[in-house]
Amino acid sequence: MNLVAVLIVRDEAADIPGCLASLGGIVDGIHVHDTGSTDATADLARSMGAVVSTGEWPGDFAAARNAALAAAGRTDWVLSVDADERATADPGRLRALLASARTDALLVQIDNRHDELPYTQYTPRIFRPSAVHWAGRVHERLVPERGTWPALPGEALRLTHHGYEHRAVRTGKARRNAALAEAQLPATTGEDRATTLLDLGRSYVGAGRPQDAVDTFEALRAEAVPGTRQWILGTDALARLLLGAGHDDAVVVLARQLRGHGVDRQYCDWLESQALAQLGHTADAWQLLRHVRRVVDPAGRVYPPEHLAELKRLLGALAGSHR
């Protein structure tokens, strides 16, 4: 059984040494696909034992990742990593789990360091390249999806993502992604168009263009079938955006729509309670929030329990003072 880490990079000289060092003892090989670096990224990767291939940036993340897979050649399993991530693993346990796996892909725990609100998510990052490939120009995903892929225990493998720690870096990436989605949108229809609208709206949020994001999420909600994945994720993103802008009546409506379409009740209660609190309905907000034990959004992001505890403390105190 062979496990190879595959990265796509461009001008990552500051990050790639730490990333590759963290993979030592976890993988059997590292393949770095450089899409046009002008710094020392490729030389640093080679000096640390990685195999490096080069290609032009195609303006498409899935195309770049598929090109990297093709250049990496045959392997049983691939671990997809980005240069701004660091791996921590129990190699023996990881190998035992891969040896017994009866699936095409496995979800990996990713702890996202964020300058506003850190969160954890589970994303398919280990997969059999003979069975799946990448699709999606902006927020690429593995296809075909056959049911729900199982998650690896965090003790076996987890990644820490540092790319959101600094606002300027995050904003730059969002602007790049918005340009990619804008270019793709006119050629899309149906589900692909809904996915592209979702990507575009998220990118506008990160790029500091809130009104463009609102307009895009509203367009998505008008075009997508209510209850579909894209509609749910777009509605949630719109609700959180409006919550920050103080449009609390709209957030209450959106939270109730999400609840009606089967989104996790605790998450919907957490979302609606904040809007009710901002509207001054502290008793109603507290009644919703007091039963929430865990906040996991529709995209699978798990928010820190200490933030929930602090919100409960504040809202509980406010509700008590109004009795």
Side-chain angles (χ1 to χ4, degrees):
M1 185 181 63
N2 202 41
L3 172 63
V4 173
V6 177
L7 300 80
I8 59 169
V9 298
R10 184 175 184 179
D11 293 333
E12 298 284 4
D15 273 324
I16 202 164
C19 177
L20 300 192
S22 76
L23 294 168
I26 299 174
V27 297
D28 300 304
I30 301 173
H31 189 97
V32 173
H33 186 67
D34 191 290
T35 60
S37 292
T38 58
D39 63 8
T41 297
D43 291 337
L44 285 169
R46 290 190 187 96
S47 73
M48 298 186 70
V51 176
V52 177
S53 59
T54 59
E56 294 184 359
W57 169 241
D60 183 316
F61 278 97
R65 291 201 188 276
N66 288 330
L69 291 179
R74 295 179 61 86
T75 181
D76 300 306
W77 291 96
V78 161
L79 169 60
S80 180
V81 191
D82 289 332
D84 58 1
E85 295 173 336
R86 305 292 181 266
T88 305
D90 178 338
R93 187 174 182 189
L94 175 60
R95 295 302 174 128
L97 290 167
L98 292 180
S100 62
R102 299 293 180 267
T103 183
D104 294 333
L106 291 158
L107 305 181
V108 174
Q109 177 181 326
I110 302 178
D111 298 322
N112 289 279
R113 303 286 177 85
H114 201 292
D115 69 324
E116 294 175 353
L117 181 63
Y119 61 89
T120 296
Q121 65 187 127
Y122 290 84
T123 303
R125 289 295 194 90
I126 287 190
F127 58 92
R128 302 181 194 270
S130 60
V132 294
H133 62 278
W134 295 100
R137 188 170 187 171
V138 182
H139 291 98
E140 64 278 20
R141 63 197 185 282
L142 288 174
V143 295
E145 296 183 50
R146 300 184 181 94
T148 302
W149 288 318
L152 282 171
E155 298 78 14
L157 174 68
R158 72 177 183 273
L159 299 174
T160 302
H161 179 213
H162 295 271
Y164 297 150
E165 283 185 310
H166 304 292
R167 180 182 294 273
V169 174
R170 192 171 72 252
T171 300
K173 290 181 178 180
R175 288 172 177 165
R176 174 203 62 195
N177 291 346
L180 291 174
E182 287 169 345
Q184 182 182 15
L185 188 62
T188 59
T189 58
E191 186 176 352
D192 286 343
R193 179 174 173 82
T195 298
T196 304
L197 283 169
L198 177 62
D199 291 340
L200 182 57
R202 287 169 163 174
S203 299
Y204 282 150
V205 172
R209 298 169 60 179
Q211 188 56 56
D212 288 332
V214 168
D215 294 343
T216 303
F217 290 136
E218 290 285 16
L220 168 59
R221 280 169 46 80
E223 295 184 26
V225 176
T228 58
R229 175 181 175 274
Q230 293 90 343
W231 184 92
I232 286 173
L233 293 177
T235 298
D236 175 49
L238 177 61
R240 287 185 283 111
L241 190 60
L242 295 179
L243 182 67
H247 298 290
D248 303 302
D249 287 320
V251 177
V252 171
V253 172
L254 294 173
R256 293 175 180 177
Q257 289 180 359
L258 289 169
R259 192 184 292 112
H261 283 284
V263 173
D264 179 70
R265 186 175 187 87
Q266 291 193 77
Y267 177 76
C268 295
D269 289 351
W270 171 81
L271 183 62
E272 185 178 348
S273 69
Q274 294 175 80
L276 289 173
Q278 291 180 175
L279 287 166
H281 305 311
T282 54
D284 292 336
W286 175 239
Q287 287 303 313
L288 282 177
L289 188 66
R290 63 187 298 186
H291 302 293
V292 175
R293 297 289 179 266
R294 190 166 182 255
V295 179
V296 184
D297 74 12
R301 290 178 290 227
V302 182
Y303 293 97
E306 57 269 24
H307 289 268
L308 173 61
E310 178 63 12
L311 180 60
K312 280 188 168 184
R313 187 189 67 79
L314 292 171
L315 193 51
L318 282 172
S321 68
H322 284 82
R323 289 195 183 105

